[in-house]
């Protein structure tokens, strides 16, 4: 097994062995050559001989055909006797359909006749990398960047492997650099890095992927030599127009800009008294002639808060900052909104801007980098959480009110809608550090393409494609993946309260780690109660949701219990729906979560000898670490509450003094 190829490693397939294939298409181009070589490789390994380019004498024929009636990224896959045909309205669809065919060969072999029709749910399916030009990755947990090193753009074989991997899960857009655009990264817009960026863009484009660059809003000052970045200034506008003209004319498939502005110290239009809309529209007009887009992030809040101020609520600020601008953005601007109102915590309510914004193009931002969910050292399969977000009914009153339909642009004629995730890849040979974290990479692509898939189906597909069919491997890995998020949620910060992590690097338990600082993330525990009141009697955040959600969240008795401490300040002796006190629920969750993590080690050990030795050992090491670390989480949190309340665990389990 070559684990560096993840789910794209091929082996002989019993029912295909000795069969002859031919591969036929009238299409041409870099992307077609790429997918033909992938099919050639797969078929050669699976059957034992190279496919031919004429179909007369072969057992089977694979045809890639353009069908103008079909969507340019959707495909129809048909097996009719000896003919397999992949049909699509465009080359991207032929790529996705061909990978699907390879997956079918891999998991099912030749099989009988079939017909599959697929169309991606969201127009844009994007990978956002937070890579810095010095080669580091912000919140990167799987080695150094493979896009940058020593302040230069790197293009090598891994770039090609990366592009192929992304295409194989349906990704069609990629931002390669960190949204915090520091140092040399601002110069990505200039001639200095152009020739390397052209090579990079060509590789991505060859797999149907558009390159985006994160830009610094102060670029006119930082690299343009000007004294202003005011979006209303015509010199600033001219600079962006010219810069954009150069980028679009030289980088094949270039998509546009990703912008973090007026957020966590990044420069933005506020410096000139301008709004987000004025800032974003200025850039949008510069890229408009080339069909470009500007993706503008909504992760904006006051990060200089005084912890003594109990009125300001970070959770409310993103909505407050953007809702009044609904309808004011140009049609090639997309607002990028994190799944929840705070910051990728293990449990948050769905961001109220979904459904709230009705006349603006939007994109949902997930994070698979696991910044707050174990940093790829804990196994934490995130698809159940993503699925909940996508299936959430915003009650927006629009024709389509589920998040997955809203972010796919179902209420709008525009195709500037989509889903993205902050990526979990790096230079580690296995791409994601933790081998099981690759399930999040695969899963994100699968869910962005088809949000009706279940987390189980996706996990099963990933396991079969990566590790082949061994019932014990499949069963145990599924158990681990599918219970990992719930376990993590239980042994870390309780019931939606979030944080309780070590400051800055965000790893490991620290109950008061964010309690007295400027980041606006306080739990405010006393000896008798914990949480912030976000109902209309408190900060009023719950009001950002329409009915019936507002009423549901606003009252302790109706609030979903997993979000209880997000929305309310609750006494430890509060009786939960199953009769336990809040305190007892916290204790028990922590014991149970850590027990589950210990069980992962046992389940994994049963797989010894059934997996590649290196993979087995590497994962075992991480699972052991997780089991140990989860007891640290459990004990720190339980001890904290025990010390406050002096009430022991009702089941007599050990809590340290
Ligand atoms: O989650 C926080 C991270 C920052 C990140 C920021 C953001 C890129 O801690 O590292 O900065 O979110 O999303 O912009």
């Amino acid at each position: 097994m070559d684990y560096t190829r993840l789910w794209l490693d091929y082996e002989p397939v019993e029912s295909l062995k000795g069969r002859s294939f031919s591969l036929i298409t009238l299409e041409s181009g870099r992307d077609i050559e790429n997918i033909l070589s992938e099919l050639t490789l797969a078929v050669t390994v699976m059957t034992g001989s190279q496919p031919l380019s004429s179909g007369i004498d072969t057992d089977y024929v694979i045809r890639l055909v353009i069908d103008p009636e079909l969507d340019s990224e959707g495909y129809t896959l048909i097996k009719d006797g000896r003919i397999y045909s992949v049909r699509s309205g465009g080359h991207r669809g032929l790529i996705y359909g061909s990978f699907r065919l390879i997956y079918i060969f891999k998991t099912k072999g030749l099989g009988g006749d079939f017909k599959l029709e697929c169309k991606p749910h969201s127009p844009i399916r994007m990978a956002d990398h937070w890579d810095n030009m010095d080669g580091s990755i912000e919140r990167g947990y799987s080695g150094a960047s493979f896009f940058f090193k020593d302040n230069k753009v790197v293009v090598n074989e891994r770039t090609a492997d990366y592009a192929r991997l992304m295409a194989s899960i349906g990704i069609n857009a990629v931002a390669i650099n960190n949204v915090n655009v520091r140092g040399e990264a601002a110069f990505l817009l200039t001639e200095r890095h152009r020739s390397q960026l052209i090579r990079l863009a060509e590789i991505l484009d060859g797999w149907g992927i558009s390159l985006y660059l994160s830009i610094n809003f102060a670029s006119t000052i930082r690299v343009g030599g000007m004294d202003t970045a005011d979006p209303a200034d015509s010199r600033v506008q001219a600079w962006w127009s010219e810069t954009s003209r150069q980028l679009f004319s030289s980088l094949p498939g270039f998509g546009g800009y990703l912008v973090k502005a007026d957020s966590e110290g990044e420069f933005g239009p506020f410096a000139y008294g301008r709004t987000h809309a004025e800032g974003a529209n200025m850039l949008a007009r510069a890229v408009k002639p080339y069909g470009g887009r500007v993706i503008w992030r909504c992760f904006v809040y006051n990060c200089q808060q005084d912890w003594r101020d109990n009125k300001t609520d970070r959770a409310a600020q993103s909505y407050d900052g953007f809702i009044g601008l609904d309808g004011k953005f140009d049609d090639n601007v997309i607002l990028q909104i994190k799944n929840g109102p705070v910051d990728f915590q293990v449990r948050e309510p769905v961001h109220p801007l979904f459904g709230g914004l009705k006349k603006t193009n939007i994109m949902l931002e997930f994070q698979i980098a696991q910044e707050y969910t174990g940093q790829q050292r804990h196994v934490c399969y995130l698809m159940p959480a993503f699925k909940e977000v996508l299936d959430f009914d915003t009650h927006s009153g629009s024709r389509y009110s589920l998040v997955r339909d809203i972010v796919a642009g179902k209420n709008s004629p525009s195709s500037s809608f989509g889903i993205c995730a902050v990526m979990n890849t790096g230079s580690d040979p296995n791409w994601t550090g933790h081998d099981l974290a690759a399930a999040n990479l695969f899963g994100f692509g699968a869910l962005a393409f088809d949000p009706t898939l279940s987390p189980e189906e996706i996990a099963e597909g990933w396991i079969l494609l990566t590790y082949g069919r061994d019932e014990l491997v499949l069963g145990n890995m599924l158990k681990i993946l599918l219970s990992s998020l719930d376990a993590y949620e239980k042994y870390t910060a309780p019931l939606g309260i979030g944080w309780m992590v070590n400051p800055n690097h965000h790893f490991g338990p620290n109950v008061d780690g964010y309690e007295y600082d400027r980041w606006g993330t306080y739990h405010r525990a006393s000896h008798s109660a914990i949480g912030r009141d976000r109902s209309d009697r408190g900060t009023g955040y719950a009001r950002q949701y329409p009915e019936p959600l507002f009423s549901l969240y606003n009252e302790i008795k109706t609030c979903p219990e997993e979000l209880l401490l997000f929305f309310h300040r609750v006494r430890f002796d509060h009786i939960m729906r199953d009769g336990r006190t809040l305190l007892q629920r916290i204790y028990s969750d922590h014991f149970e979560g850590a027990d589950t993590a210990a069980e992962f080690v046992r389940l994994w050990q049963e797989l010894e000898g059934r997996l590649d030795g290196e993979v087995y050992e590497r994962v075992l090491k991480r699972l052991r670490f997780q089991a140990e670390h989860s007891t640290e989480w459990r004990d720190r949190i339980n001890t904290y509450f025990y010390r406050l309340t002096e009430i022991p665990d009702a089941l007599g389990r050990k809590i340290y003094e």
Side-chain angles (χ1 to χ4, degrees):
M1 175 199 183
D2 180 358
Y3 66 79
T4 67
R5 292 178 58 93
L6 301 182
W7 51 86
L8 297 180
D9 187 30
Y10 308 130
E11 285 183 342
V13 173
E14 211 36 59
S15 62
L16 286 159
K17 263 192 223 156
R19 308 295 179 118
S20 57
F21 271 82
S22 52
L23 208 48
I24 296 176
T25 187
L26 294 175
E27 294 303 301
S28 59
R30 205 166 26 217
D31 46 3
I32 294 296
E33 276 165 37
N34 278 335
I35 195 61
L36 287 180
S37 7
E38 192 67 23
L39 282 164
T40 301
L41 175 69
V43 168
T44 307
V45 177
M46 290 173 184
T47 64
S49 59
Q50 281 229 344
L52 307 176
S53 50
S54 144
I56 304 176
D57 293 324
T58 55
D59 300 330
Y60 294 96
V61 182
I62 299 173
R63 291 165 49 185
L64 308 190
V65 189
I66 286 292
D67 178 347
E69 301 280 293
L70 297 176
D71 182 84
S72 65
E73 302 197 8
Y75 58 85
T76 302
L77 192 57
I78 303 170
K79 177 180 187 296
D80 184 5
R82 59 188 282 272
I83 312 285
Y84 288 90
S85 51
V86 184
R87 315 180 74 85
S88 173
H91 287 189
R92 282 183 178 171
L94 292 181
I95 294 177
Y96 305 145
S98 300
F99 275 115
R100 183 71 181 273
L101 180 60
I102 292 175
Y103 296 161
I104 291 177
F105 283 156
K106 246 188 126 169
T107 53
K108 301 199 174 105
L110 274 180
D113 288 359
F114 62 80
K115 179 172 182 185
L116 279 173
E117 293 176 59
C118 281
K119 192 180 155 210
H121 195 76
S122 293
I124 305 175
R125 303 169 302 281
M126 184 166 187
D128 286 357
H129 294 266
W130 287 354
D131 291 27
N132 300 314
M133 287 200 71
D134 63 3
S136 63
I137 303 180
E138 180 149 346
R139 314 306 175 188
Y141 312 107
S142 42
S145 170
F146 49 80
F147 289 123
F148 307 108
K149 194 178 174 196
D150 301 332
N151 285 327
K152 298 207 164 56
V153 177
V154 175
V155 183
N156 57 27
E157 255 177 49
R158 198 172 178 83
T159 323
D161 290 344
Y162 166 81
R164 171 173 143 276
L165 265 180
M166 292 297 118
S168 80
I169 52 173
I171 299 296
N172 63 4
V174 161
I176 55 170
N177 63 312
N178 191 355
V179 289
N180 294 325
V181 184
R182 309 266 158 80
E184 186 64 21
F187 290 87
L188 284 170
L189 298 177
T190 68
E191 281 290 331
R192 203 187 287 179
H193 300 287
R194 193 67 48 80
S195 60
Q196 283 294 82
L197 278 182
I198 292 175
R199 292 180 57 207
L200 182 72
E202 277 170 0
I203 292 177
L204 294 174
D205 186 56
W207 285 102
I209 299 168
S210 300
L211 170 70
Y212 282 74
L213 291 175
S214 297
I215 58 112
N216 189 309
F217 198 78
S219 294
T220 45
I221 303 173
R222 298 273 299 282
V223 304
M226 297 170 56
D227 59 1
T228 179
D230 183 351
D233 188 309
S234 59
R235 289 166 308 152
V236 171
Q237 296 164 1
W239 187 89
W240 280 108
S241 292
E242 176 54 18
T243 299
S244 305
R245 189 191 63 75
Q246 288 176 18
L247 290 169
F248 279 92
S249 61
S250 56
L251 304 177
F254 187 59
Y257 306 129
L258 171 60
V259 196
K260 173 175 179 177
D262 289 310
S263 160
E264 296 187 331
E266 294 303 295
F267 196 82
F270 290 3
Y272 305 98
R274 315 284 174 205
T275 65
H276 291 292
E278 288 165 317
N281 292 344
M282 182 274 290
L283 294 172
R285 285 161 201 169
V287 300
K288 176 91 176 168
Y290 319 100
R293 291 169 166 132
V294 170
I295 304 174
W296 190 271
R297 296 177 84 232
C298 294
F299 182 61
V300 179
Y301 66 99
N302 168 15
C303 63
Q304 298 293 344
Q305 207 184 313
D306 184 331
W307 61 270
R308 285 159 290 211
D309 161 14
N310 201 7
K311 290 217 171 58
T312 308
D313 185 356
R314 170 169 167 178
Q317 293 173 359
S318 176
Y319 179 97
D320 284 344
F322 285 89
I323 199 70
L325 298 174
D326 194 14
K328 298 215 160 54
F329 292 91
D330 283 8
D331 62 2
N332 58 334
V333 175
I334 305 177
L335 294 186
Q336 190 181 77
I337 308 165
K338 288 189 181 183
N339 59 275
V342 184
D343 194 4
F344 301 138
Q345 301 301 294
V346 68
R347 175 70 66 175
E348 289 185 41
V350 168
H351 201 304
L353 281 176
F354 297 114
L357 292 171
K358 296 199 169 56
K359 294 173 286 189
T360 304
N361 304 334
I362 59 172
M363 176 182 255
L364 164 60
E365 182 180 10
F366 285 127
Q367 189 195 49
I368 56 174
Q370 291 182 246
E371 175 180 359
Y372 296 96
T373 49
Q375 303 195 350
Q376 295 160 243
R377 296 176 73 190
H378 291 224
V379 57
C380 190
Y381 176 59
L382 295 164
M383 294 318 114
F386 292 2
K387 181 77 177 162
E388 269 184 50
V389 172
L390 291 165
D391 285 351
F392 184 78
D393 189 343
T394 62
H395 293 278
S396 61
S398 307
R399 171 136 183 258
Y400 292 94
S401 63
L402 302 187
V403 170
R404 65 175 194 233
D405 293 332
I406 293 174
V407 303
K410 299 274 178 220
N411 295 313
S412 161
S414 166
S415 60
S416 290
F417 280 84
I419 302 186
C420 70
V422 179
M423 285 286 117
N424 61 358
T425 52
S427 293
D428 281 356
N430 69 352
W431 295 87
T432 54
H434 201 311
D435 293 77
L436 299 183
N440 284 329
L441 183 57
F442 180 87
F444 164 67
L447 215 47
F449 207 89
D450 181 1
T452 66
L453 293 170
S454 72
E456 291 83 344
E457 283 173 283
I458 294 171
E460 183 171 334
W462 173 75
I463 297 165
L464 290 176
L465 288 172
T466 312
Y467 298 104
R469 186 175 281 283
D470 170 322
E471 295 307 323
L472 195 65
V473 170
L474 180 61
N476 286 12
M477 277 201 196
L478 272 179
K479 274 188 209 151
I480 294 173
L481 289 175
L482 294 174
S483 51
S484 59
L485 176 68
D486 185 54
Y488 190 86
E489 183 171 2
K490 281 179 163 171
Y491 62 70
T492 57
L495 303 176
I497 202 143
W499 305 92
M500 300 194 172
V501 285
N502 284 305
N504 307 321
H505 68 291
H506 300 162
F507 192 67
N510 187 340
V511 179
D512 286 336
Y514 273 92
E515 202 49 22
Y516 301 103
D517 62 21
R518 61 188 177 90
W519 298 97
T521 54
Y522 317 114
H523 60 69
R524 302 188 191 277
S526 75
H527 73 288
S528 61
I530 183 172
R532 293 193 69 190
D533 184 352
R534 291 191 161 110
S535 75
D536 61 354
R537 302 167 295 276
T539 72
Y541 165 78
R543 279 207 179 284
Q544 295 184 345
Y545 296 89
E547 288 293 6
L549 296 171
F550 163 63
S551 295
L552 182 83
Y553 293 142
N554 201 49
E555 302 301 329
I556 291 185
K557 58 177 193 312
T558 52
C559 183
E561 285 191 333
E562 67 276 8
L563 285 168
L564 190 63
L565 299 181
F566 186 95
F567 281 100
H568 297 281
R569 181 165 184 81
V570 184
R571 289 181 55 88
F572 291 120
D573 59 8
H574 165 76
I575 304 296
M576 305 290 286
R577 274 163 222 148
D578 66 2
R580 287 183 286 180
T581 61
L582 168 64
L583 182 70
Q584 189 53 41
R585 166 75 189 265
I586 293 175
Y587 286 158
S588 285
D589 275 3
H590 284 79
F591 286 112
E592 287 163 23
D595 286 352
T596 307
E599 177 69 6
F600 294 161
V601 176
R602 209 191 53 70
L603 287 166
W604 191 259
Q605 282 172 323
E606 286 180 9
L607 306 182
E608 188 167 7
R610 291 169 183 265
L611 294 165
D612 177 282
E614 264 184 70
V615 174
Y616 175 79
E617 290 300 333
R618 199 163 44 221
V619 174
L620 181 62
K621 206 166 147 203
R622 293 205 183 213
L623 292 178
R624 283 193 169 129
F625 168 80
Q626 179 176 5
E628 179 59 36
H629 201 226
S630 69
T631 67
E632 176 75 14
W633 266 104
R634 174 195 70 195
D635 294 338
R636 287 261 209 140
I637 295 214
N638 282 351
T639 296
Y640 182 89
F641 292 111
Y642 178 61
R643 286 183 183 168
L644 287 183
T645 63
E646 296 189 1
I647 300 170
D649 174 49
L651 302 179
R653 289 164 292 193
K654 172 90 181 159
I655 297 181
Y656 295 82
E657 304 257 304

